[in-house]
Amino acid sequence: MSASVTPPSLKLTYPETLDRIKEEFQFLQSQYHSLKLECEKLATEKTEIQRHYVMYYEMSYGLNIEMHKQTEIAKRLNVICAQLIPFLSQEHQQQVVGAMERAKQVT
């Protein structure tokens, strides 16, 4: 068999071949266009997600700093109370110690 032998049903004329190439090119162009739009949409979504990530990170960092500050304040207030309790009457000492224990049991 020679390479130039083609079944009669597959033989295309020159204009038919050009039309087919044109159709395939248009199809590929439309696919490219839709993929390009999808890529642009995904890039926009990525930017938005990154913006949200930065915002949440900053909020989380701020909350973490605030939590550490509040913890330090609580420790210092606890020390001050412990230093002042001996100067109270016995009855008030028991009330303050009870109140301090209840304050530590935050849920």
Side-chain angles (χ1 to χ4, degrees):
M1 260 196 203
S2 71
S4 63
V5 177
T6 313
S9 63
L10 293 181
K11 281 191 175 180
L12 297 174
T13 63
Y14 184 72
E16 290 172 334
T17 304
L18 288 177
D19 286 342
R20 185 168 176 187
I21 290 171
K22 183 179 176 183
E23 288 172 8
E24 288 180 18
F25 178 75
Q26 288 173 341
F27 173 72
L28 290 173
Q29 249 186 337
S30 70
Q31 275 189 326
Y32 167 76
H33 181 69
S34 65
L35 290 172
K36 184 178 176 186
L37 291 176
E38 181 69 19
C39 187
E40 290 170 356
K41 178 183 169 190
L42 289 172
T44 302
E45 288 178 11
K46 176 187 168 195
T47 302
E48 188 68 17
I49 288 171
Q50 286 175 330
R51 196 175 62 77
H52 280 110
Y53 170 78
V54 169
M55 181 181 67
Y56 290 136
Y57 177 81
E58 289 172 350
M59 287 171 50
S60 172
Y61 183 77
L63 287 171
N64 193 26
I65 294 294
E66 187 62 29
M67 183 194 68
H68 284 292
K69 283 170 48 179
Q70 294 298 324
T71 301
E72 186 60 30
I73 289 169
K75 286 179 187 177
R76 291 178 184 187
L77 288 173
N78 193 38
V79 168
I80 291 170
C81 288
Q83 290 172 345
L84 294 177
I85 287 175
F87 296 105
L88 299 174
S89 68
Q90 190 66 28
E91 178 185 336
H92 286 125
Q93 284 183 11
Q94 291 172 353
Q95 290 175 352
V96 171
V97 168
M100 287 177 63
E101 289 303 317
R102 286 191 304 277
K104 290 179 184 178
Q105 296 173 2
V106 176
T107 56

